[in-house]
């Protein structure tokens, strides 16, 4: 997939993350839904493709994927590992967040390395994948649609992070029947499958530590 913009009758590549967030190329067009106070949380929402946002008055709004600039995707964690900021075996969403909490001045330059940008729309319906059907925690997966057929019934044998407080560093065997109901810019190749864990603190814990 590609996205273009038209300027003086010519089709040009769509704006990058840096052009949108730092140079304000879309500013003044009324495209904004909300502004998030934490740029790292905002980036995670872009990676996940959907989520719930709590407003200052306590209300929750749900947003889902509405489009992308379809620019090249680069993993934040992989970039940090390549630069020697993180050890591959210790890299997780927690360690990435901790690093940028200590070095906030470096965050934006790393975010800009990933040119891929996600656009959202407000949607109160259940979280859905690229097939437009609601996703089910631990039963919906995302794969590379260039390789795996959409909606395919699949069986997974893997290990998952243990949710038990006494075994936070442990992994537990898990297997089950799943449906291929989603896709994503970072999910490429025959050896990549993402499991949908749902929402909430427990789902975030599982998703950020799943590496098998």
């Amino acid at each position: 997939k590609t996205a273009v913009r038209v300027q003086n009758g010519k089709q040009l590549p769509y704006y990058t993350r840096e052009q949108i967030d730092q140079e304000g190329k879309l500013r003044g067009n009324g495209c904004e839904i909300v502004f998030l106070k934490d740029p790292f949380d905002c980036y995670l929402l872009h990676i996940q493709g959907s989520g719930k946002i709590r407003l200052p008055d306590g209300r929750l709004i749900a947003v889902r994927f509405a489009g992308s600039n379809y620019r090249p995707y680069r993993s934040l964690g992989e970039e940090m590992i390549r630069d020697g900021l993180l050890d591959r075996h210790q890299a997780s969403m927690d360690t990435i967040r901790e690093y940028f909490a200590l070095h906030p001045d470096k965050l934006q330059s790393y975010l800009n390395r990933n040119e891929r940008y996600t656009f959202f729309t407000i949607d109160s319906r259940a979280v859905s994948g690229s097939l437009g059907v609601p996703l089910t925690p631990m039963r919906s997966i995302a794969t590379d649609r260039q390789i795996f057929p959409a909606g395919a019934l699949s069986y997974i044998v893997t290990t998952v992070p243990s949710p038990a407080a006494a075994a936070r560093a442990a992994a537990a065997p898990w297997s089950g029947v799943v449906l291929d109901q989603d896709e994503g810019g970072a999910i490429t190749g025959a050896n990549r499958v993402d499991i949908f864990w749902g929402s909430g603190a427990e789902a975030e814990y599982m998703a950020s530590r799943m590496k098998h």
Side-chain angles (χ1 to χ4, degrees), residues 24 26 43 60 62 73 82 88 94 96 104 110 144 149 160 165-166 168 191 199 210:
L26 299 181
Y43 183 78
L60 281 175
Y73 176 88
R82 186 177 296 112
R88 181 172 298 277
D94 282 345
I96 294 174
Y110 271 91
D144 188 337
V160 299
R168 284 287 178 174
N191 61 342
S199 60
M210 183 69 183

Side-chain angles (χ1 to χ4, degrees), residues 15-27 35 39 42-43 46 108 111-112 114 116-119:
Y15 298 121
T16 65
R17 176 178 300 278
E18 183 174 7
Q19 289 175 311
I20 294 172
D21 281 348
Q22 271 64 66
E23 299 178 20
K25 292 296 186 180
L26 299 181
R27 196 171 298 151
F35 292 95
C42 183
Y43 183 78
H46 278 231
Q108 195 59 57
L111 297 186
N112 289 343
N114 180 16
R116 180 71 59 88
Y117 202 89
T118 303
F119 300 102

